[in-house]
Amino acid sequence: MNSKVRVRFAPSPTGPLHIGGLRTALYNYLFAKKHEGTFILRVEDTDNSRYVEGAEDYIKEALDWCGLTPDESPFHDGEFGPYRQSERKAIYKDYAQQLIDNGHAYYAFDTPEDLDKLRQEQEAFGDKFIYGAHNRNELNNSLKVSEKETLEYIESGKPYVIRFKMPMAKQLAIRDNIRGNIQIKTNDLDDKILFKSDGMPTYHLANIVDDHLMEITHVIRGEEWLPSLALHVLLYDAFGWKAPKFAHLPLILKPFGKGKLSKRDGDKHGFPVFPLEWKDPATGAISSGYREEFYLPEATINMLALLGWNDGTEQELYSLEELVDKFSIERVHKAGAKFNPEKTKWFQHQYIQKVDDSVLAEEFKDWLRAEKQIETTLDFTLKIVSLLKERLTFMPDLWNESYFFFQAPTQFNPKSSKKAWKEDTAPIMTNFISFLEAETDFSKEQIQPKIKGWITDQGLGFGKVMMPLRLALVGDMKGPDVFEMVSLLGKTEAINRLKFALNTLN
Ligand code: GLU
């Protein structure tokens, strides 16, 4: 493959980036890096009415969080800027003009009211109104009225749009690197607007012009753009430009039922569909994000990479570097990929296990201070992390698995109490406390054999002591190894908790 691969991720800043969009960015990134090419972020913000405050920053932050920082972008200039279409406004008009001059486009003066009327008339017949080859000569445009009139209209300030003159009855064969050859007939296609009355290009024109000027070699984007493909290829032809190669990615589907994964699915089943938390500037509504839900970016990326691609082996865990190495567009699936919330957690579990204990301990210590106003030492959180790491999927799980190290029980789970605290437990525990009071070394290595020895000497069953002991320390029949707990809590605290249980449960 040539070494000048240039690909772009071209989102419109109309809201938070959906994980489907993030996957598009990821595949573009992987493809670029695999071929030692350039990954570009181009912000497609020509539609003023859909612009949403903060959306562009969100896109940048999300890409950075995932380690997919573009080589060229509005935030990192290259030779092909500006990378924000609103800043390229002056460029597009000339290109629209070029198409008018070479007969591939025309001015249309139809007012929105005219078009609405025509639409309604057609709908009354159960048809759809299409502005195209079959009727364009009867409508109010520069193909119908004379050149003189056209000029007069324009000079008098009459609003107009510029439309593409869709060729009639042409059969197109277009190659898609994922889908193979696609046959499209132009008959049913309309004369799309290329340039709007507000002086801005539409997506179609701006997108093609920019892909050309930015020397994009491969367009990798979502399947929802497939219906625009014919127009885009024809636009390249009309300009006399070589079209890039195309690859349309499969949809990400709902985990349950049919259709595209939506924000509503996430709300309903409690998983994020956005990489970062998003606060809607209009309503203030918050949508959860992978980052804020404590997913690691590595897990998020790995999960997304496999939603629509695999390398043909059973391997599931890949670092970003490995993905770059293994990725190929040809192995991207044609069929939609079902999002799997459980599998997503599985990836997170795998990745958190790879994080260094000391890193988790540091984070947990900070988390305890911020969320629970608990001050503790790194030494202590490190012990907790090494004890409980295997049970972790998300950072806050550490708290759920260890809160009793920081707070003595104030009550006891009734069901567990019934099971663990019997008629004869009180005298046993009273003796047990006296035994512990005489001990001095509470390191696990020392205290474990001592306790075991004491139980044997007393001629008791193991459960007779271990169960009420666990209940006293935790308030419930859960938690890690009892000896670890005794040792971590230390002599005073362990005995205090036993005494409290004794008083409370009798
Ligand atoms: N601006 C389009 C979007 O929002 C870009 C589509 C494309 O990649 O051509 O997805």
Side-chain angles (χ1 to χ4, degrees):
M1 169 103 22
N2 79 54
S3 59
K4 275 177 58 199
V5 162
R6 291 176 58 81
V7 294
R8 84 308 192 266
F9 175 50
S12 298
T14 55
L17 187 62
H18 183 278
I19 52 170
L22 185 59
R23 189 198 55 179
T24 300
L26 172 64
Y27 284 12
N28 273 283
Y29 173 93
L30 296 176
F31 186 79
K33 299 298 149 186
K34 165 116 194 173
H35 299 291
E36 288 165 20
T38 306
F39 172 53
I40 298 152
L41 168 67
R42 183 174 71 226
V43 175
E44 301 209 325
D45 58 350
T46 56
D47 190 350
N48 250 329
S49 64
R50 296 182 63 218
Y51 181 81
V52 172
E53 190 71 48
E56 186 187 289
D57 288 340
Y58 180 99
I59 293 165
K60 175 187 190 296
E61 215 178 316
L63 294 180
D64 286 346
W65 180 65
C66 294
L68 308 178
T69 303
D71 303 306
E72 298 171 22
S73 75
F75 315 99
H76 191 267
D77 227 354
E79 287 167 44
F80 298 83
Y83 294 90
R84 220 177 255 122
Q85 286 186 330
S86 56
E87 290 168 21
R88 303 170 65 80
K89 199 175 152 189
I91 299 176
Y92 306 112
K93 183 68 195 286
D94 286 349
Y95 285 99
Q97 189 61 49
Q98 201 173 308
L99 293 181
I100 291 185
D101 295 345
N102 68 16
H104 286 291
Y106 58 90
Y107 296 104
F109 302 102
D110 319 82
T111 65
E113 294 76 32
D114 294 341
L115 294 175
D116 264 352
K117 203 166 148 244
L118 289 165
R119 216 167 275 133
Q120 280 165 17
E121 280 168 18
Q122 287 293 324
E123 278 166 15
F125 286 106
D127 284 341
K128 210 175 147 218
F129 173 71
I130 290 177
Y131 200 127
H134 65 291
N135 62 357
R136 66 166 79 102
N137 289 329
E138 297 142 35
L139 293 160
N140 191 7
N141 56 48
S142 58
L143 301 173
K144 168 107 187 291
V145 305
S146 69
E147 207 169 308
K148 189 165 159 279
E149 265 175 303
T150 301
L151 273 176
E152 275 168 20
Y153 282 171
I154 292 172
E155 266 157 31
S156 72
K158 193 172 167 69
Y160 66 83
V161 299
I162 297 175
R163 285 184 182 268
F164 183 65
K165 199 168 153 195
M166 184 57 75
M168 191 146 176
K170 206 169 168 175
Q171 175 88 25
L172 301 173
I174 306 173
R175 168 123 197 114
D176 180 284
N177 281 4
I178 297 170
R179 281 145 218 275
N181 285 327
I182 303 175
Q183 306 282 337
I184 305 173
K185 282 204 191 84
T186 60
N187 274 8
D188 308 327
L189 303 178
D190 62 338
D191 288 356
K192 276 271 179 302
I193 296 177
L194 301 177
F195 203 81
K196 296 179 286 182
S197 54
D198 66 359
M200 286 294 246
T202 58
Y203 153 71
H204 302 292
L205 179 69
N207 186 271
I208 268 53
V209 166
D210 286 346
D211 280 350
H212 173 69
L213 295 179
M214 294 183 178
E215 298 180 11
I216 299 302
T217 55
H218 297 75
V219 168
I220 304 168
R221 62 184 173 190
E223 168 180 313
E224 63 274 26
W225 299 103
L226 216 40
S228 304
L229 182 58
L231 171 66
H232 292 182
V233 168
L234 288 167
L235 276 169
Y236 281 104
D237 282 352
F239 280 118
W241 296 335
K242 182 171 178 276
K245 295 200 161 60
F246 291 97
H248 289 84
L249 307 176
L251 292 175
I252 298 183
L253 303 173
K254 292 179 188 307
F256 316 102
K258 282 194 180 131
K260 203 171 139 178
L261 177 72
S262 72
K263 175 172 139 39
R264 222 168 315 135
D265 298 310
D267 293 343
K268 193 162 148 202
H269 302 290
F271 57 80
V273 297
F274 301 118
L276 318 178
E277 189 172 273
W278 168 256
K279 184 170 176 198
D280 190 303
T283 63
I286 304 258
S287 302
S288 67
Y290 279 81
R291 183 179 64 184
E292 289 73 14
E293 294 293 315
F294 298 94
Y295 281 89
L296 292 161
E298 296 83 356
T300 310
I301 284 299
N302 195 153
M303 174 278 287
L304 282 177
L306 291 181
L307 269 183
W309 170 88
N310 68 52
D311 74 350
T313 70
E314 296 288 299
Q315 186 176 344
E316 293 189 287
L317 297 175
Y318 299 86
S319 66
L320 191 55
E321 294 70 41
E322 242 178 314
L323 286 171
V324 167
D325 188 42
K326 300 272 169 74
F327 186 75
S328 75
I329 276 290
E330 288 70 27
R331 289 208 60 89
V332 173
H333 312 150
K334 280 189 212 123
K338 234 180 187 1
F339 180 78
N340 182 339
E342 286 314 309
K343 190 75 191 188
T344 303
K345 284 188 192 155
W346 178 85
F347 277 111
Q348 167 61 18
H349 179 76
Q350 299 301 315
Y351 274 90
I352 204 164
Q353 297 307 315
K354 294 180 194 231
V355 179
D356 235 33
D357 287 14
S358 59
V359 173
L360 287 174
E362 189 82 57
E363 274 181 40
F364 189 43
K365 184 171 166 282
D366 294 344
W367 186 90
L368 284 169
R369 178 183 300 132
E371 299 291 324
K372 302 285 170 192
Q373 290 76 50
I374 292 174
E375 291 294 338
T376 180
T377 64
L378 196 57
D379 186 49
F380 194 65
T381 53
L382 192 56
K383 283 185 179 140
I384 288 181
V385 166
S386 42
L387 196 56
L388 297 168
K389 191 175 180 187
E390 274 173 28
R391 305 178 182 206
L392 287 194
T393 298
F394 302 104
M395 245 285 294
D397 294 346
L398 258 182
W399 172 256
N400 300 330
E401 299 290 344
S402 75
Y403 62 89
F404 40 83
F405 283 111
F406 303 95
Q407 309 170 330
T410 52
Q411 53 191 15
F412 298 90
N413 178 323
K415 236 171 135 181
S416 305
S417 308
K418 210 168 149 210
K419 207 163 118 203
W421 204 276
K422 305 279 186 202
E423 294 280 288
D424 57 350
T425 300
I428 297 174
M429 285 294 117
T430 310
N431 283 340
F432 183 58
I433 290 170
S434 309
F435 151 72
L436 286 182
E437 272 167 344
E439 290 301 321
T440 48
D441 190 343
F442 273 64
S443 67
K444 191 191 166 195
E445 298 70 47
Q446 292 299 322
I447 203 71
Q448 174 164 349
K450 286 272 174 68
I451 295 178
K452 283 184 170 171
W454 182 83
I455 297 173
T456 314
D457 290 348
Q458 300 291 309
L460 293 167
F462 233 62
K464 281 266 173 232
V465 178
M466 300 308 274
M467 296 216 316
L469 175 56
R470 179 179 292 281
L471 183 69
L473 298 181
V474 177
D476 207 343
M477 291 309 284
K478 62 182 196 185
D481 180 75
V482 182
F483 302 109
E484 292 280 7
M485 288 197 285
V486 170
S487 166
L488 262 179
L489 289 168
K491 178 174 176 174
T492 316
E493 183 64 18
I495 290 175
N496 282 346
R497 290 189 186 192
L498 278 166
K499 287 182 175 165
F500 177 74
L502 203 52
N503 286 334
T504 313
L505 293 167
N506 277 333

